[in-house]
């Protein structure tokens, strides 16, 4: 294969990886606070994209994105307070079913509010045909915007969970909620905060990928499945891991297209996921605590 | 005592209902609609459902079809063939509908074709795949032009442009598969070689890798066959990669929203479609002009969005059914043979001439080659 083509496949893979990872990191916050997977994460991504498109008719793009992120954070808080906060020691299974219920609710609400039409934000710089090229390899500037947003989110999360008291308290809350509460950690507020942060990060992801993928009321589930896959692959709770997982899946998918019919793309990524999870059940880059806890338990 | 009162009440209700029935003239006809109002094929199903609601209300206000009021029951299949099957059974067994309009997609239509045929329910599909009416099933009709005609139109244009080596992309849906088959079957006769052929998922979000593969195969043109938003993504990805070859789309592209979604990348894309998408540009002498202009005005006035060929299919299906009921009354078998022998019905997709061997009724001249210029659909011309 010519070098130029190989690099173009690599760019395609990085594009897929960025889309998957920017959605995937959103799963980590609620997981780090509660130990559950939020199955409504894809709907936060959808809400962010749709709200930004609506706001962009009235205000400039940066304001529209900020507004959409804030709106989705408020929705995240409202959903948590309404459906989860008042529950007394909910089981993990119950929480998961509640988040599935929330995802259906948000999706149907969006269908009523916006209809079934497909929308997109304009490209942040350039337009549908512009690309940066280097030696015959082309990449859409929007991919770089998404990659930039991804790196900012990951850096923020790393600092937040490793270096700030609130972030540490949140992790304590997931490790053992009762013990954390006994130590004076306001566990309920932290769970609410985790939904707010997750919603905000999901909404930002929805804004940066919408020019590439388009958005409509129903895109949440599709984006969430791939995002969830790479979050698991990287080790749940580990954001740099999700990014690495995203790039692994994306690049493998892209190169699989060069050799095999594209129809097998998804089958290949799932097969890789299964193979890796057989070898490393807690993901490629599982945080040490998780592994230790699992060994103890 | 209570029983007598109840009986009296029932009698009163049925008397009133009877009087109303007499007022309307004849018994109402129940028409089911199986449409992908939501989901990836909602570009098709949503305008179709809106069209039916608009036109059924209009028709009933004028006294119905031949005096029969039309009762419309719309079921949203989400573009899912399994859902289409269960809703089809519900419409046939529980609602006991006279006829079904839809489904919007080929995959769904093929899934319900057998059920409709077995139960003797008329099915007027709004989907395009040739296999819907070939082999002919006595109760199954379709109002969208055949995909083989669409492929034929595209190949004629390619020949004119001296294109002989193309890359084919299609989605993994009934429409994509049927189109791919037709393209592969007809290409050799036109001296066109398919150098690369890729099938992608209907929910695909980026197709850079697939387009890279076409680039590697050094194709002279891209032909994409799908109905999902992915067809707008394909053209963006090709142009971003600097692949400047002509891009052809199927008649599935005939909703101007796709061109808007692809923005600058959509400029110059060529595809076959019926004349409704260029209604205003039609000559005053064109047979279809009054029909398409009236429909366009009514639809755009009510819903504030552009008409598409797909909403037009629902217009034609209802129009054909209404005309057959007007001619033959409310007897299903008589209506069936009235449709089968209908000639010269002027619809949005073209002039329909059905026959026992042809349940599509449209000829290749129902298509016109269209291109995108300044974000709008215009006739490609010579």
């Amino acid at each position: 294969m010519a070098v130029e083509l190989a690099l173009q496949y690599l760019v395609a893979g990085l594009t897929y990886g960025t889309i998957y990872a920017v959605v995937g990191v959103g799963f980590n916050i609620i997981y780090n606070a509660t130990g559950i997977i939020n199955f409504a994460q894809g709907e936060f991504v959808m809400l962010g994209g749709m709200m930004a498109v609506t706001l962009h008719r009235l205000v400039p793009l940066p304001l529209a994105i900020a507004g959409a992120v804030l709106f989705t954070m408020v929705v995240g808080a409202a959903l948590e307070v309404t459906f989860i906060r008042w529950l007394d020691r909910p089981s993990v299974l119950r929480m998961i079913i509640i988040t599935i219920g929330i995802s259906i609710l948000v999706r149907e609400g969006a269908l009523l509010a916006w209809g079934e039409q497909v929308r997109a934000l304009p490209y942040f710089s350039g337009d549908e045909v512009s690309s940066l090229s280097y030696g015959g390899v082309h990449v859409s500037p929007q991919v770089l915007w998404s990659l930039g947003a991804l790196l900012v989110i990951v850096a923020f999360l790393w600092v937040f969970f490793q270096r700030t008291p609130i972030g540490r308290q949140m992790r304590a809350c997931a490790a053992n909620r009762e013990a954390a509460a006994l130590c004076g950690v306001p566990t309920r507020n932290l769970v609410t905060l985790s939904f707010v942060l997750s919603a905000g990060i999901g909404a930002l992801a929805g804004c940066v990928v919408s020019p590439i993928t388009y958005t409509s009321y129903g895109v949440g589930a599709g984006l969430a499945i791939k995002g969830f896959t790479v979050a698991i692959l990287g080790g749940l709770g580990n954001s740099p891991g999700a990014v690495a997982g995203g790039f692994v899946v994306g690049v493998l998918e892209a190169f699989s297209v060069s050799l095999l019919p594209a129809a097998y793309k998804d089958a290949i990524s799932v097969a890789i996921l299964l193979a890796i999870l057989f070898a490393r059940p807690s993901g490629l880059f599982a945080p040490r605590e998780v592994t230790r806890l699992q060994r103890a338990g | 005592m209570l029983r007598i009162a109840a009986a009296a009440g029932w009698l009163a209700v049925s008397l009133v209902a009877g009087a109303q029935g007499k007022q309307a003239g004849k018994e109402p006809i129940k028409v089911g609609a199986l449409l992908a109002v939501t989901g990836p094929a909602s570009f098709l199903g949503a305008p179709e459902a809106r069209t039916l609601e608009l036109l059924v209300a209009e028709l009933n206000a004028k006294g119905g079809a031949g005096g029969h009021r039309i009762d419309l029951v719309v079921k949203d299949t989400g573009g899912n063939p399994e859902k289409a099957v269960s809703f089809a059974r519900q419409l046939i067994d529980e609602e006991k509908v006279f006829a079904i309009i839809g489904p919007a997609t080929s995959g769904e239509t093929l899934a319900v074709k057998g059920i409709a045929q077995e139960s003797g329910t008329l099915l007027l599909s709004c989907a395009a795949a040739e296999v819907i009416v070939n082999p002919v099933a006595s109760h199954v009709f379709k109002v969208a032009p055949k995909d083989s005609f669409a492929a034929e139109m595209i190949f004629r244009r390619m020949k004119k442009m001296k294109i002989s080596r193309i890359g084919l992309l299609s989605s993994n849906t009934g429409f994509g598969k049927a189109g791919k088959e037709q393209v592969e079957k007809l290409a050799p006769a036109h001296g066109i070689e398919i150098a690369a052929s890729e099938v992608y998922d209907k929910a695909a979000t980026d197709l850079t890798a697939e387009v890279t593969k076409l680039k590697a195969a050094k194709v002279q043109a891209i032909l994409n066959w799908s109905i999902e938003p992915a067809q707008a993504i394909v053209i963006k990805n090709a142009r971003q990669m600097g692949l400047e070859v002509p891009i052809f789309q199927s008649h599935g592209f005939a909703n101007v929203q796709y061109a808007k979604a692809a923005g600058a990348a959509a400029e110059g894309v060529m595809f076959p479609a019926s004349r409704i998408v260029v209604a205003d540009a039609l000559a005053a002498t064109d047979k279809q002009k009054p029909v398409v202009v009236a429909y366009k005005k009514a639809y755009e006035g009510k819903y504030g969005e552009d008409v598409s060929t797909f909403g037009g299919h629902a217009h034609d299906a209802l129009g054909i059914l209404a005309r057959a009921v007007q001619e033959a009354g409310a007897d299903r078998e008589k209506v069936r043979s009235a449709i089968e022998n209908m000639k010269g019905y002027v619809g949005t997709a073209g002039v329909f001439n059905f026959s026992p061997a042809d349940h599509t009724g449209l000829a290749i001249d129902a298509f016109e080659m269209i291109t995108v210029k300044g974000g709008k659909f215009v006739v490609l011309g010579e």
Side-chain angles (χ1 to χ4, degrees), chain B residues 62-274:
Chain B
K62 283 190 221 150
H68 298 277
R69 194 181 75 234
I70 306 264
D71 287 343
L72 181 68
V73 188
V74 180
K75 298 284 180 196
D76 175 13
T77 63
N80 178 334
E82 289 85 49
K83 267 196 191 170
V85 166
S86 67
F87 279 133
R89 288 199 197 286
Q90 201 183 348
L91 286 175
I92 293 167
D93 298 337
E94 289 169 33
E95 302 274 359
K96 308 225 179 303
V97 295
F98 184 84
I100 294 175
I101 292 178
T105 68
S106 301
E108 293 173 276
T109 305
L110 294 173
V112 304
K113 180 179 175 182
I115 304 172
Q117 178 66 17
E118 249 169 53
S119 67
T121 309
L122 297 171
L123 186 75
L124 289 103
S125 169
C126 297
E130 182 128 17
V131 276
I132 296 168
V133 291
N134 182 18
V136 168
S138 62
H139 287 67
V140 179
F141 298 86
K142 86 182 175 73
V143 296
K146 286 191 226 180
D147 40 15
S148 59
F149 288 156
E152 183 80 30
M153 289 293 285
I154 291 168
F155 286 146
R156 283 183 194 173
R157 172 56 60 164
M158 285 179 173
K159 240 178 167 173
K160 203 178 262 178
M161 295 171 70
K162 308 224 177 333
I163 290 165
S164 60
R165 186 179 166 86
I166 66 164
L168 174 64
L169 293 170
S170 53
S171 72
N172 64 347
T173 58
F175 182 78
K177 274 180 221 159
K180 180 172 178 264
E181 267 170 38
Q182 292 297 336
V183 169
E184 284 170 351
K185 198 171 95 188
L186 297 172
H190 291 269
I192 284 168
E193 179 201 352
I194 300 169
S197 174
E198 290 298 329
V199 177
Y200 54 79
D201 188 74
K202 58 176 183 279
T205 50
D206 187 279
L207 295 159
T208 309
E210 284 83 349
V211 177
T212 306
K213 201 164 180 180
L214 297 195
K215 194 180 181 185
K218 298 201 166 42
V219 298
Q220 293 169 324
I222 296 174
L223 171 55
N224 177 68
W225 210 282
S226 62
I227 41 172
E228 295 76 20
Q231 58 183 335
I233 296 175
V234 166
I235 39 189
K236 280 195 309 182
N237 290 157
R239 295 308 185 222
Q240 282 162 359
M241 194 178 293
L243 189 57
E244 295 298 340
V245 298
I247 297 179
F248 291 84
Q249 295 270 4
S250 73
H251 43 322
F253 195 71
N255 188 330
V256 78
Q257 283 197 50
Y258 284 126
K260 286 182 181 162
E267 290 299 300
V269 165
M270 292 166 273
F271 64 98
S274 50

Side-chain angles (χ1 to χ4, degrees), chain B residues 308-340:
Chain B
S308 62
T309 56
F310 308 111
H313 294 326
H315 168 282
D316 296 351
L318 184 69
I320 288 165
L321 183 65
R323 178 161 145 183
V325 169
Q326 203 166 1
E327 284 171 8
D331 182 305
R332 196 141 70 180
E333 287 314 303
K334 283 185 190 152
V335 169
R336 191 203 75 77
S337 81
I339 297 178
E340 196 170 75

Side-chain angles (χ1 to χ4, degrees), chain A residues 4-5 8-9 11-12 15-16 19-20 111 116-118 120 123 127-132 136 138-140 143 210-214 217 223 253-266, chain B residues 37-39 42-43 46-47 50 76 197-201 204-210 212-217 229-230 232-233 235-237 239-242 257-258 260-266 305:
Chain A
E4 184 191 312
L5 278 174
Q8 191 66 59
Y9 280 117
V11 165
T15 307
Y16 301 151
I19 296 170
Y20 301 160
L111 177 59
E116 81 298 331
Q117 274 130 0
V118 175
Y123 278 67
D127 62 12
E128 292 82 1
V129 294
S130 53
S131 62
L132 305 168
H138 301 261
V139 55
S140 165
V143 174
S210 99
I212 306 175
T213 64
Y214 298 127
Y217 81 97
L223 289 171
E253 277 187 9
F255 279 98
S256 78
V257 171
S258 75
L259 299 172
L260 297 166
Y264 297 124
K265 195 163 85 173
D266 286 342
Chain B
V37 182
T38 59
S42 63
F43 268 96
R50 285 197 269 271
D76 175 13
S197 174
E198 290 298 329
V199 177
Y200 54 79
D201 188 74
T205 50
D206 187 279
L207 295 159
T208 309
E210 284 83 349
T212 306
K213 201 164 180 180
L214 297 195
K215 194 180 181 185
I233 296 175
I235 39 189
K236 280 195 309 182
N237 290 157
R239 295 308 185 222
Q240 282 162 359
M241 194 178 293
Q257 283 197 50
Y258 284 126
K260 286 182 181 162
E305 64 170 25

Side-chain angles (χ1 to χ4, degrees), chain A residues 86-293:
Chain A
W86 53 273
L87 295 176
D88 189 30
R89 280 198 250 171
S91 67
V92 167
L93 187 63
R94 195 167 166 202
M95 292 274 274
I96 287 174
I97 291 178
I98 288 172
T99 62
I100 293 176
I102 291 174
S103 79
I104 296 171
L105 189 74
V106 173
R107 191 157 61 232
E108 294 300 314
L111 177 59
L112 284 178
W114 283 295
E116 81 298 331
Q117 274 130 0
V118 175
R119 292 142 211 263
L121 281 176
Y123 278 67
F124 291 7
S125 48
D127 62 12
E128 292 82 1
V129 294
S130 53
S131 62
L132 305 168
S133 61
Y134 184 80
V137 180
H138 301 261
V139 55
S140 165
Q142 193 61 33
V143 174
L144 301 183
W145 276 105
S146 304
L147 195 59
L150 173 63
L151 296 180
V152 169
I153 291 171
V154 170
F156 165 77
L157 288 180
W158 190 83
V159 171
F160 179 76
F161 279 117
Q162 304 297 329
R163 293 281 177 269
T164 68
I166 295 187
R168 286 201 202 108
Q169 288 178 0
M170 230 181 226
R171 284 192 294 146
C173 180
N176 190 330
R177 202 155 165 183
E178 273 170 46
L182 285 174
C183 295
V185 173
T187 53
R188 295 205 166 183
N189 287 349
L190 285 178
V191 172
T192 308
L193 180 65
S194 74
F195 270 81
V196 170
L197 280 178
S198 265
I201 285 173
L204 184 60
C207 293
V208 294
V209 303
S210 99
I212 306 175
T213 64
Y214 298 127
T215 187
S216 71
Y217 81 97
V219 295
L223 289 171
I225 287 175
K226 279 291 166 67
F228 178 58
T229 307
V230 303
I232 298 238
L233 188 58
L236 270 169
N238 181 339
S239 298
V243 176
F247 289 153
V248 169
V249 172
V251 169
L252 285 172
E253 277 187 9
F255 279 98
S256 78
V257 171
S258 75
L259 299 172
L260 297 166
Y264 297 124
K265 195 163 85 173
D266 286 342
I268 286 163
S269 64
V270 172
I272 292 162
L273 177 73
L274 285 177
I276 291 179
L277 289 185
F278 273 125
R280 291 186 62 96
S282 40
L284 281 176
F285 312 95
R288 242 174 282 135
E289 295 95 305
V290 173
T291 329
R292 207 163 50 219
L293 279 173

